[in-house]
Amino acid sequence: MTAPIDFPDLPVQTDRSSDHGRFSTERIIRRHTATEDLIRQPQEQFQHSPRRRKSTSDIGRQKMIFPTLRKAATLMFTPEKTISKPPNTWKSIRAIILSSWFNVLLVFIPISWAINFALPNQHSLIFVLTFFAIIPLAKLLAFATDELSIRVGQTLAGLLNATLGNAVELIVSIIALTKCELRIVQSSLVGSILSNLLLVLGMCFFAGGMRFSEQGFGQSAVQLNSSLLTISVIAVLLPGAFLMALQGQPSYDGLSTDYNILKTSRGVAIILLFIYGSYLVFQLFSHKALYDDNGADIQQTKGYEGQNPWLQLRLYRRKNAKHVQPSLPTIDEEAASNLTAPARATDLEHRSTSTEDTDSEIESYMSIPVSLGLLVVVTVLVAVTAEFLVDSISGLTESGAIGKEFVAVILLPIVGNAAEHVTAVTVSVKDKLTLSLGVAVGSSIQIALFVIPFMVTLAWIMGKQLTLLFDPLESIVLFLSVLTVNYAVQDGKSNWLEGMILMCLYLILAVTFWFYPGTPGIFQC
């Protein structure tokens, strides 16, 4: 009987700095190499062994899997910076009330509800009141989301903001879908993309150009976002090309073609959802450094040479109006001093830490229970108010004074994006254009790659026939808008003229949709 073989101790060094004795990559390689040297011994020594001993590389691999998963889960729920002690319930409620000037519009919520039940036939009045009532609710929803985001890791915070970023548009679209308003669903989502790409982005470029000659931003990330928007536009244009290619053929059957377009739309919607999931993985995990404010491809912001003409004009008007003494500090001097140091936010909309100590703790304005409660309450209020809003659209447009296309494409997107627009423009003036682009272009990508295909899939589940065959004019306008924005951002720089061009293009579209009656869809519900 052969004596058992004594394996020599493997030359492994203990890494005392690691937690729970985790295996580092170098230790695994050393163990694996030592084990392979032992395996190369004469095989007859192992022929009479009662059983094969487990390789140390297998042991190390098994011990690595679960700690790695635990570490990833821990990082997702661990904030990057220390959070201050949460305030009590009273201070949290006070922070909600003082969070934004938009809260003044909260008075329209009970008024709109009362008018809806007392005067149900006053559709125009109900529409106006509910329109102003949803704007502060969208701002409070964003405020609650931000409070929850600072208490988790960067990855989970980004996923949370991406999920709840367009919650108001999603709620309005779902309510319109349940009421079989398929055209309103399609037109409002296209209008949200147009509003973000043209109006918001144009206002950001224009407002930033009033203070800086040129503002730089991450060119790689913006070009990637433009590619994603182009893919979504192609998905919208293909059903229309599908229909036009078959019309006029001798064997053309309208009913079968419509159902083929419906099936195609559902298949394309699933693919777009997969692209959006891949985009989230790319942005939040694999290439999140590409979306940082300090990326290597970000162009340098340039101030005006000499004196800023816009600030000089403002100063001249102020002198004529209030007779300001010339000995006072000029705005140009203040702006020049701020070119190298970004301005700090002074309200609750832009959370900031001390400029002297960047590692200081982040101040929290609400406790977690209050944040969750606010999120639930605001969502319910938005759902109820949006239902009244959608119900009043048909009565508002029956008189012919205003068209349904204008309401859906121009007015409804303002409801959910007004507060977000103000935030994007404010940070662009403080030379944080990358953040502004994240708000404007990122919201457009979310609507194009997530909300639109999600609505098509939800309608499929609900048994409603919602397709990607949009109104022909809306499809063409969407394509031209994405093309224009792509040309505007391809150099990685912006100025006030580019912003004015985008805003004027949006005004052109608003005038067009004011007179455009729209076309009926291939399916009514």
Side-chain angles (χ1 to χ4, degrees):
M1 181 175 181
T2 307
I5 301 172
D6 293 330
F7 285 84
D9 293 334
L10 299 179
V12 180
Q13 296 179 358
T14 303
D15 188 2
R16 297 182 179 180
S17 62
S18 60
D19 299 335
H20 306 292
R22 293 192 179 97
F23 291 90
S24 63
T25 305
E26 296 181 356
R27 293 170 59 196
I28 295 175
I29 295 175
R30 290 198 296 267
R31 281 179 176 256
H32 188 70
T33 305
T35 306
E36 288 181 347
D37 293 339
L38 292 176
I39 294 175
R40 295 192 186 99
Q41 294 181 1
Q43 294 183 1
E44 50 268 7
Q45 295 183 5
F46 297 92
Q47 291 178 356
H48 303 284
S49 300
R51 61 180 180 178
R52 177 182 175 273
R53 295 187 64 177
K54 185 178 292 187
S55 171
T56 52
S57 61
D58 297 335
I59 299 174
R61 193 177 296 111
Q62 291 178 1
K63 291 184 178 180
M64 275 191 62
I65 294 175
F66 296 104
T68 303
L69 294 178
R70 287 197 300 267
K71 181 179 179 181
T74 303
L75 290 177
M76 290 185 65
F77 290 94
T78 302
E80 291 185 345
K81 294 184 179 181
T82 306
I83 309 299
S84 63
K85 183 180 178 180
N88 54 30
T89 304
W90 167 246
K91 291 183 178 179
S92 300
I93 296 175
R94 183 175 179 271
I96 295 174
I97 297 174
L98 301 178
S99 60
S100 174
W101 287 104
F102 284 102
N103 291 340
V104 177
L105 300 178
L106 290 173
V107 69
F108 287 103
I109 297 178
I111 297 177
S112 62
W113 289 22
I115 295 296
N116 180 78
F117 291 109
L119 303 173
N121 295 326
Q122 299 293 327
H123 301 290
S124 300
L125 182 60
I126 294 174
F127 179 85
V128 173
L129 294 177
T130 53
F131 180 88
F132 286 107
I134 294 181
I135 292 177
L137 293 176
K139 182 61 180 176
L140 290 177
L141 190 64
F143 182 56
T145 304
D146 292 339
E147 282 295 319
L148 294 176
S149 299
I150 64 173
R151 291 176 168 85
V152 296
Q154 181 181 5
T155 302
L156 190 58
L159 186 61
L160 186 64
N161 287 318
T163 304
L164 300 177
N166 291 288
V168 176
E169 291 91 337
L170 188 59
I171 293 174
V172 173
S173 299
I174 292 175
I175 293 175
L177 179 63
T178 57
K179 297 181 178 297
C180 293
E181 297 285 352
L182 302 184
R183 272 304 181 191
I184 291 181
V185 174
Q186 293 178 327
S187 300
S188 63
L189 294 179
V190 171
S192 296
I193 298 176
L194 297 176
S195 175
N196 285 312
L197 287 182
L198 300 179
L199 182 61
V200 182
L201 195 60
M203 291 177 66
C204 292
F205 287 171
F206 185 82
M210 293 292 99
R211 185 172 181 181
F212 304 97
S213 175
E214 286 184 351
Q215 284 184 291
F217 47 85
Q219 187 174 3
S220 300
V222 172
Q223 287 298 323
L224 177 63
N225 294 340
S226 300
S227 301
L228 292 173
L229 287 174
T230 304
I231 292 175
S232 63
V233 171
I234 292 175
V236 171
L237 293 178
L238 283 180
F242 188 102
L243 181 61
M244 292 179 60
L246 295 180
Q247 285 180 340
Q249 298 293 330
S251 59
Y252 172 74
D253 185 3
L255 184 60
S256 63
T257 301
D258 293 344
Y259 278 99
N260 288 333
I261 291 176
L262 177 62
K263 296 175 182 178
T264 303
S265 300
R266 291 169 176 174
V268 173
I270 295 176
I271 298 175
L272 291 179
L273 290 175
F274 174 76
I275 294 176
Y276 180 72
S278 303
Y279 164 69
L280 289 182
V281 173
F282 182 87
Q283 183 183 17
L284 303 178
F285 291 94
S286 63
H287 289 72
K288 58 183 179 181
L290 192 65
Y291 296 86
D292 291 341
D293 292 334
N294 299 322
D297 62 335
I298 295 181
Q299 301 287 340
Q300 185 68 28
T301 298
K302 299 179 181 180
Y304 283 94
E305 296 182 359
Q307 294 185 353
N308 189 335
W310 304 104
L311 295 178
Q312 285 295 317
L313 179 61
R314 181 180 176 185
L315 182 61
Y316 175 77
R317 291 178 177 177
R318 184 176 297 180
K319 285 182 178 180
N320 291 338
K322 298 182 180 180
H323 304 285
V324 179
Q325 297 295 330
S327 59
L328 294 176
T330 62
I331 304 177
D332 292 292
E333 296 175 355
E334 180 184 355
S337 63
N338 290 331
L339 286 176
T340 56
R344 286 166 37 177
T346 58
D347 52 7
L348 298 180
E349 293 181 357
H350 312 293
R351 190 185 311 275
S352 62
T353 56
S354 175
T355 55
E356 298 178 356
D357 185 11
T358 57
D359 295 330
S360 60
E361 62 182 14
I362 300 178
E363 182 182 0
S364 60
Y365 297 113
M366 291 188 298
S367 60
I368 295 180
V370 175
S371 301
L372 293 175
L374 178 63
L375 196 64
V376 173
V377 171
V378 170
T379 303
V380 174
L381 292 177
V382 168
V384 177
T385 310
E387 184 176 1
F388 300 155
L389 177 69
V390 174
D391 289 337
S392 63
I393 292 178
S394 298
L396 175 67
T397 57
E398 282 179 357
S399 61
I402 184 172
K404 185 175 290 187
E405 283 290 319
F406 182 82
V407 172
V409 177
I410 303 300
L411 295 183
L412 285 184
I414 299 178
V415 174
N417 296 330
E420 194 176 43
H421 293 179
V422 175
T423 302
V425 175
T426 303
V427 298
S428 67
V429 177
K430 299 173 182 178
D431 198 20
K432 296 182 180 294
L433 194 59
T434 303
L435 179 58
S436 300
L437 287 169
V439 173
V441 183
S443 297
S444 301
I445 291 176
Q446 186 181 19
I447 294 174
L449 295 181
F450 174 70
V451 179
I452 291 179
F454 175 78
M455 292 305 301
V456 174
T457 307
L458 182 62
W460 186 9
I461 296 173
M462 297 172 60
K464 300 183 183 298
Q465 298 166 334
L466 181 65
T467 67
L468 292 176
L469 182 61
F470 288 75
D471 184 270
L473 180 61
E474 294 175 4
S475 302
I476 295 174
V477 163
L478 183 61
F479 170 74
L480 296 178
S481 300
V482 171
L483 187 65
T484 304
V485 172
N486 190 21
Y487 282 128
V489 301
Q490 64 182 355
D491 58 348
K493 298 179 292 184
S494 69
N495 51 62
W496 68 267
L497 182 59
E498 291 181 348
M500 189 190 69
I501 291 173
L502 295 179
M503 289 190 296
C504 290
L505 178 57
Y506 187 78
L507 293 178
I508 293 174
L509 297 181
V511 174
T512 303
F513 282 109
W514 175 267
F515 297 101
Y516 181 64
T519 58
I522 59 176
F523 295 107
Q524 298 302 321
C525 189

